[in-house]
Amino acid sequence: MAAPGDAPCSGEAEPSAGGRGSSGVEVVLLSDPAVPAPLCPHGPTLLFVKVSQGKEEARRFYACSACRDRKDCNFFQWEDEKPSGARLTARESRNQRGRPPLSRMQCVERYLRFIQLPLTQRKFCQSCQRLLLPDDWGEHREHQLVGDVSVSQLRRPSQLLYPLENKKTNAQYLFADRTCQFLVGLVSTLGFRRVLCVGTPRLHELIGLTASGDKKSTLKSLLLDIDFRYSQFYMEDSFCHYNMFNHHFFDGKPALEVCRAFLQEDKGEGVIMVTDPPFGGLVEPLAVTFKKLIGMWKEGQSQDDSHQEMPIFWIFPYFFEARICQFFPSFCMLDYQVDYDNHALYKHGKTGRKQSPVRIFTNIPPNKIPLPTEEGYRFCPLCQRYVSLENQHCEHCNSCTSKDGRKWKHCFLCKKCVKPSWIHCSFCNRCAVAHHSCDGPKDGCFICGERDHKRSSCPNISTLRKASKAVRKQKQRKSNKMKMETTEGQSMNHPSVTGRRKRRERAHQYLCS
């Protein structure tokens, strides 16, 4: 879905954004930026900085908010760079080419015309992923078509559309029916009447099907998703083309007002947000976006209710618990395993390490959320919440401590429960996998190594910046000196390079003989 963005100017040393979470690239979140971020086909870009253990690359850069892989969107610009007029023109042209072929209004008009057609004339092009009107048939004659598209198929577009399975960009893994049925039943049991579906198209579909099949159901939903293909299946009040990494509504203020009206209906009562972001996405920009949606919801609250929180289900792997709770301290993690139809590993019912690691994080008290006992969950009277059968209560921690569905063991040296396969390492003074690297990279701060904060909030950052600046100056002086010596002694150095090459060739011949 991504369109190409700007390539870097020649000669620039471009940091790779392909592995931001693991390669030491962090997002820089500015509360009130002096200069608006440049745009790529996916909306406003994000500001990043490359860091590594003990040092920081001071020069920051803009890159795409939605695509972690430069192949999907190769937008790149240094923060202090001023692009030329020609480059800005070329960028705008690329952004235009990356936008959907039809406007939101055109999609709605086509949909209204499509549902008026007789069944024999309703066709869907699998090659182009488009609903076709009779005027379009000639252009798609050689394509793979689906005919007789029924109303039930129109209500389940995720079964007509090919899922986008690039985990670094779209990560469009679709909930299994088991998970969808559980979520719909849960929000109804908890008394919610509206569901803001952020990146959960299949849940949105099931809510619509439930409402159409049960006249007593008052449940309705609004889907916010980056996949613009859904525009052709929904009216304006049911879908907004949206990027959750930068809170960007592609269709501008009209779409923003649709979302605002949905959140503030009935003074904000009876609404819950359910979100299932791509697992490769950074937690920080997601948290900022969700807080903006919460702020939009709070605008419709009275002063007496201003202290309340908008109910949220954030669906994410369990190993992000610390990061999510850092931004939302009121959140807790449920034991319920979320599974997906089109994911090879994230399946319910598997055992050991093969179980789905995806969980539900929520600010709703866990004692109010029943989990299905027929799927292997039980109520712990001590914790006052539902847990998996394998999750045993630890009398030392006074909690059901397992995170991954297996029975954990208590380590008296660490004073906490750990995974059953871990052992206590006397060198690291903590529990870890049996064959771990004691001097390997650790979570937490890149500067001092402490685990309770990140590099951006380290108390030693100012000292490090001064030291890094001095080191860079020293390296630059050394580099300039070496260049001068190389230029002056090029004729003398060439034979020595040739000699080294011949010695390597002789050594290689000897080893191969």
Side-chain angles (χ1 to χ4, degrees):
M1 304 298 290
D6 285 326
C9 295
S10 58
E12 291 179 339
E14 174 189 345
S16 172
R20 288 170 187 159
S22 58
S23 67
V25 176
E26 293 183 3
V27 64
V28 181
L29 299 171
L30 303 176
S31 57
D32 189 19
V35 179
L39 301 177
C40 76
H42 303 92
T45 54
L46 293 179
L47 188 61
F48 295 93
V49 60
K50 191 172 185 181
V51 297
S52 59
Q53 186 72 39
K55 64 179 181 179
E56 171 190 325
E57 296 288 341
R59 200 174 184 189
R60 304 189 293 193
F61 61 95
Y62 291 102
C64 179
S65 63
C67 302
R68 291 177 56 208
D69 197 325
R70 199 59 55 77
K71 294 177 182 178
D72 297 313
C73 181
N74 63 356
F75 184 99
F76 178 84
Q77 179 183 313
W78 292 113
E79 181 190 23
D80 54 1
E81 178 186 2
K82 292 184 177 180
S84 64
R87 190 177 178 193
L88 290 175
T89 302
R91 176 183 299 174
E92 178 57 27
S93 177
R94 292 190 187 101
N95 290 349
Q96 288 283 358
R97 291 198 300 270
R99 287 170 186 152
L102 299 173
S103 69
R104 188 73 182 94
M105 187 58 66
Q106 288 174 317
C107 288
V108 170
E109 291 173 354
R110 288 175 60 88
Y111 175 74
L112 292 174
R113 290 173 59 191
F114 187 89
I115 60 178
Q116 296 296 325
L117 295 172
L119 184 63
T120 55
Q121 294 186 20
R122 293 183 196 160
K123 296 182 180 182
F124 176 77
C125 179
Q126 288 187 326
S127 304
C128 302
Q129 297 285 278
R130 283 182 60 183
L131 294 175
L132 301 182
L133 297 173
D135 296 341
D136 306 323
W137 293 354
E139 302 174 16
H140 302 264
R141 188 177 294 110
E142 304 299 324
H143 295 179
Q144 187 174 358
L145 304 180
V146 175
D148 299 342
V149 179
S150 64
V151 173
S152 61
Q153 286 177 297
L154 290 174
R155 288 176 176 169
R156 303 215 71 173
S158 67
Q159 296 183 351
L160 279 174
L161 300 170
Y162 291 128
L164 307 171
E165 296 186 354
N166 183 343
K167 64 183 179 181
K168 290 184 178 180
T169 309
N170 305 98
Q172 201 173 50
Y173 297 118
L174 302 170
F175 288 149
D177 283 341
R178 160 192 165 267
T179 294
C180 274
Q181 295 285 355
F182 167 74
L183 289 171
V184 171
L186 181 59
V187 297
S188 299
T189 300
L190 294 173
F192 295 107
R193 301 183 298 276
R194 301 188 312 284
V195 183
L196 182 67
C197 296
V198 184
T200 59
R202 188 155 282 183
L203 177 63
H204 178 63
E205 291 174 7
L206 187 57
I207 291 173
L209 288 170
T210 303
S212 63
D214 183 2
K215 301 301 180 183
K216 295 181 180 179
S217 175
T218 58
L219 196 62
K220 63 180 182 178
S221 62
L222 170 66
L223 175 62
L224 309 183
D225 202 283
I226 198 169
D227 188 353
F228 68 81
R229 298 178 302 171
Y230 285 103
S231 298
Q232 58 190 320
F233 295 93
Y234 296 114
M235 303 296 287
E236 300 99 321
D237 60 349
S238 296
F239 173 77
C240 296
H241 187 201
Y242 179 75
N243 183 348
M244 71 175 77
F245 289 99
N246 55 12
H247 187 55
H248 178 66
F249 290 86
F250 290 90
D251 297 306
K253 190 173 181 180
L256 173 67
E257 293 305 319
V258 167
C259 181
R260 190 191 307 276
F262 184 86
L263 289 173
Q264 296 181 7
E265 184 180 329
D266 295 335
K267 296 183 179 179
E269 288 293 324
V271 66
I272 182 172
M273 183 177 83
V274 181
T275 180
D276 182 34
F279 301 150
L282 295 174
V283 172
E284 292 91 334
L286 289 171
V288 170
T289 288
F290 299 156
K291 287 182 178 180
K292 289 179 179 178
L293 290 171
I294 293 170
M296 194 184 299
W297 170 78
K298 280 192 172 183
E299 290 173 5
Q301 298 281 293
S302 63
Q303 286 295 113
D304 297 336
D305 298 328
S306 59
H307 64 283
Q308 294 185 0
E309 289 186 329
M310 181 173 72
I312 295 175
F313 286 160
W314 181 343
I315 296 166
F316 227 47
Y318 71 83
F319 37 81
F320 284 98
E321 181 182 18
R323 299 290 295 134
I324 291 175
C325 292
Q326 177 184 348
F327 291 97
F328 297 98
S330 62
F331 277 29
C332 65
M333 187 180 77
L334 306 180
D335 268 25
Y336 184 82
Q337 293 183 20
V338 177
D339 61 338
Y340 299 82
D341 267 349
N342 57 326
H343 197 291
L345 299 178
Y346 296 172
K347 300 287 187 182
H348 173 71
K350 294 188 177 182
T351 58
R353 295 176 60 87
K354 295 181 180 179
Q355 299 176 81
S356 172
V358 187
R359 301 291 185 269
I360 300 174
F361 296 87
T362 182
N363 52 1
I364 300 174
N367 62 346
K368 294 183 178 180
I369 302 177
L371 302 185
T373 55
E374 66 274 11
E375 293 184 9
Y377 299 98
R378 62 178 180 84
F379 186 77
C380 175
L382 298 174
C383 292
Q384 284 292 295
R385 68 184 182 98
Y386 279 84
V387 297
S388 62
L389 288 176
E390 295 275 331
N391 193 357
Q392 299 298 312
H393 193 90
C394 175
E395 60 181 10
H396 306 288
C397 298
N398 192 27
S399 174
C400 292
T401 52
S402 174
K403 307 292 184 183
D404 61 4
R406 296 179 291 170
K407 182 180 178 180
W408 284 21
K409 63 181 181 181
H410 189 82
C411 175
F412 292 94
L413 296 174
C414 292
K415 298 181 180 179
K416 65 178 182 179
C417 286
V418 297
K419 294 181 178 180
S421 58
W422 286 16
I423 60 172
H424 192 86
C425 175
S426 57
F427 184 82
C428 298
N429 195 29
R430 64 184 179 92
C431 285
V433 293
H435 302 290
H436 68 282
S437 175
C438 293
D439 56 351
K442 298 178 175 61
D443 295 334
C445 179
F446 280 110
I447 298 174
C448 65
E450 294 295 330
R451 292 170 170 265
D452 59 347
H453 63 269
K454 296 198 74 176
R455 177 206 61 84
S456 56
S457 57
C458 182
N460 301 322
I461 191 169
S462 58
T463 304
L464 176 71
R465 283 174 175 165
K466 292 179 181 178
S468 298
K469 188 175 181 180
V471 169
R472 284 196 298 273
K473 286 184 176 180
Q474 185 178 359
K475 285 184 177 180
Q476 187 63 44
R477 287 196 295 268
K478 186 176 179 180
S479 175
N480 293 339
K481 183 178 179 181
M482 290 177 64
K483 287 179 181 178
M484 291 176 63
E485 291 175 351
T486 301
T487 304
E488 292 172 357
Q490 187 172 5
S491 58
M492 182 176 64
N493 286 344
H494 181 69
S496 98
V497 172
T498 305
R500 285 198 299 271
R501 187 184 302 116
K502 288 182 177 179
R503 286 196 294 272
R504 284 198 301 270
E505 290 173 354
R506 286 199 300 268
H508 178 71
Q509 292 172 357
Y510 173 77
L511 292 171
C512 295
S513 62

